[in-house]
Amino acid sequence: QVQLVESGGGLVQPGGSLTLSCATSGIDFSRSAMGWFRQTPGKQRELAAGITAAGSTIYVDSGKGRFTISRDNTKNTVYLQMNNLQPEDTAVYYCNARRSPGWGSGGYWGQGTQVTVSS
């Protein structure tokens, strides 16, 4: 049974930081690309950050220099460190695992964790 369990979301003031974690089970983690997607009401889900099995990373333009995605293959866990958070980062963040190339809508998904940036 595949499980992706996100944690670490919450309410933070502008300029603050959060680290999201996604613990996985039931997948071949070390051979999977892992992504963090985010979605706000009325908008399409977008890739916030992704990391391939080989360790290559990709970030949404607004997250470059502020977001860092990393993975621990010994713990089957992927992380997203977010610094200098802004109100526009407010969204539900979803963890994603995939074996196919690209960052489309496929793969396995977690249930999501809410990130709210507000003063």
Side-chain angles (χ1 to χ4, degrees):
Q1 181 182 0
V2 175
Q3 285 192 313
L4 282 69
V5 181
E6 300 103 334
S7 60
L11 173 64
V12 64
Q13 292 186 338
S17 298
L18 282 176
T19 299
L20 306 182
S21 299
C22 174
T24 73
S25 60
I27 64 170
D28 190 348
F29 183 84
S30 65
R31 299 173 74 176
S32 297
M34 301 299 300
W36 286 97
F37 288 73
R38 63 186 184 181
Q39 189 170 24
T40 55
K43 292 189 176 181
Q44 280 195 321
R45 196 173 293 189
E46 68 170 355
L47 177 68
I51 185 167
T52 68
S56 298
T57 57
I58 185 172
Y59 296 97
V60 64
D61 284 346
S62 63
K64 291 177 182 177
R66 300 188 299 123
F67 293 179
T68 302
I69 188 170
S70 61
R71 61 190 299 155
D72 186 338
N73 290 347
T74 67
K75 296 182 179 179
N76 294 342
T77 299
V78 63
Y79 306 94
L80 182 64
Q81 170 72 40
M82 302 185 291
N83 298 323
N84 190 22
L85 283 161
Q86 300 301 315
E88 52 265 34
D89 296 314
T90 295
V92 178
Y93 284 71
Y94 297 91
C95 179
N96 173 260
R98 61 186 61 220
R99 294 290 302 275
S100 58
W103 295 103
S105 60
Y108 299 102
W109 296 88
Q111 81 286 352
T113 186
Q114 177 71 46
V115 171
T116 302
V117 185
S118 176
S119 55

